[in-house]
Amino acid sequence: MSECQVNSALEALVGKWKHKILFPLVQNQTMRFNELKRSIPGITQKMLTSQLRELEEHDLITRKVYAQIPPKVEYSLSEHGKSLIPILEQMSQWGAMHAAHLQSFKNAKKEVK
Amino acid sequence: MSECQVNSALEALVGKWKHKILFPLVQNQTMRFNELKRSIPGITQKMLTSQLRELEEHDLITRKVYAQIPPKVEYSLSEHGKSLIPILEQMSQWGAMHAAHLQSFKNAKKEVK
DNA sequence: CTGTATCCGTGATGATACTG
DNA sequence: CAGTATCATCACGGATACAG
């Protein structure tokens, strides 16, 4: 298990927004820009755009532009991006466990007082 | 698979330093403050201290203080922290794959030019 | 040895306005 | 609709000095 490999994995989904973008895409297959924006409360256009570009550079998502007026752009997980799903699932499971543990852990600390 | 669970998982190991601290601990079991500092090139005392405190709050590591002069403090993975190991391993594997894929992906883009 | 305290610069993020 | 451009802010982290 090497340090820098984990780094490269983390870079892909770390950050305030990356995973929040990935989630809807995992569930809905393909989404348009504004659709995505609506599904992520609090995100600004600027952030959504820049994060999408980064995900695209890492070949995790695919960007499909329809040459029409009004413009239409669809985003979806790339083939390579789909390899992320098991990780997201495992992180989700661990996250749930961790959240539960933290709860009882903090309660235990309280009682000591 | 819920969004906020992943969040809680990510918070545990995201950030510039968290996982760099976790790694030596996974391999060496237990380490002293300066030992840890030496094993993480570029980290400042301030950062190491603050990150260790956060990991401790999440009950991922254990801090053992010896009441002696000069002071001696040992850090190690907590029982709960050890549950992170499988995740780190999976992320490491995916990271390796991702790095390799990115390589050929970028080369492919070059050739198109 | 193992920290705390402070000060400070910079990059990331947000708000807002504008464009093809 | 799907962005880009610009400006302001603010938390993060680095450097340094000090302390128990």
Side-chain angles (χ1 to χ4, degrees):
Chain A
M1 166 161 74
S2 134
E3 159 68 36
C4 65
Q5 290 177 353
V6 175
N7 245 309
S8 109
L10 279 170
E11 276 173 22
L13 26 99
V14 153
K16 203 173 177 184
W17 300 111
K18 295 255 173 60
H19 64 283
K20 297 194 179 183
I21 296 175
L22 256 10
F23 261 91
L25 283 180
V26 167
Q27 277 157 1
N28 298 347
Q29 323 279 4
T30 167
M31 300 176 75
R32 297 182 58 174
F33 185 86
N34 272 349
E35 199 177 351
L36 214 36
K37 183 167 183 297
R38 275 192 299 272
S39 78
I40 307 172
I43 199 169
T44 59
Q45 280 190 331
K46 178 184 173 180
M47 276 301 103
L48 181 52
T49 302
S50 73
Q51 300 299 297
L52 283 171
R53 292 296 130 84
E54 286 180 27
L55 290 170
E56 204 190 344
E57 270 183 27
H58 285 28
D59 189 30
L60 295 176
I61 64 174
T62 300
R63 182 165 179 265
K64 188 171 183 183
V65 184
Y66 294 83
Q68 61 178 52
I69 305 286
K72 172 175 172 183
V73 181
E74 284 183 348
Y75 294 93
S76 54
L77 281 184
S78 68
E79 277 313 305
H80 180 240
K82 288 177 185 165
S83 68
L84 258 180
I85 298 182
I87 304 223
L88 287 171
E89 271 167 0
Q90 196 185 348
M91 283 186 36
S92 172
Q93 283 177 21
W94 187 86
M97 201 186 83
H98 180 57
H101 176 84
L102 260 194
Q103 199 60 36
S104 59
F105 177 69
K106 291 193 175 174
N107 283 340
K109 284 211 304 191
K110 260 191 186 172
E111 287 169 16
V112 174
K113 285 187 185 176
Chain B
M1 164 161 75
S2 138
E3 158 68 37
C4 66
Q5 289 176 354
V6 175
N7 244 311
S8 111
L10 279 170
E11 277 174 20
L13 26 100
V14 153
K16 203 173 174 182
W17 300 112
K18 294 256 173 57
H19 63 283
K20 298 194 179 183
I21 296 175
L22 255 12
F23 261 92
L25 283 179
V26 166
Q27 276 157 0
N28 298 347
Q29 323 279 2
T30 167
M31 299 176 76
R32 298 183 57 175
F33 186 85
N34 270 351
E35 199 178 350
L36 214 35
K37 184 165 184 296
R38 275 190 300 272
S39 77
I40 308 172
I43 199 170
T44 58
Q45 281 190 331
K46 178 187 176 180
M47 277 301 104
L48 183 51
T49 303
S50 75
Q51 300 299 299
L52 284 170
R53 290 298 127 82
E54 285 180 27
L55 289 171
E56 204 191 342
E57 270 182 25
H58 285 28
D59 190 30
L60 295 176
I61 64 173
T62 299
R63 183 165 178 265
K64 189 171 183 184
V65 184
Y66 295 82
Q68 60 179 50
I69 306 286
K72 173 178 173 182
V73 182
E74 283 183 349
Y75 293 92
S76 54
L77 280 184
S78 68
E79 276 314 305
H80 180 240
K82 288 177 186 167
S83 68
L84 258 181
I85 297 181
I87 304 225
L88 288 172
E89 271 168 0
Q90 197 186 346
M91 285 188 31
S92 172
Q93 283 176 22
W94 187 87
M97 201 186 83
H98 180 56
H101 176 84
L102 260 195
Q103 199 60 37
S104 58
F105 178 69
K106 291 194 173 171
N107 283 341
K109 282 213 302 189
K110 259 191 188 171
E111 287 168 18
V112 174
K113 287 188 186 176

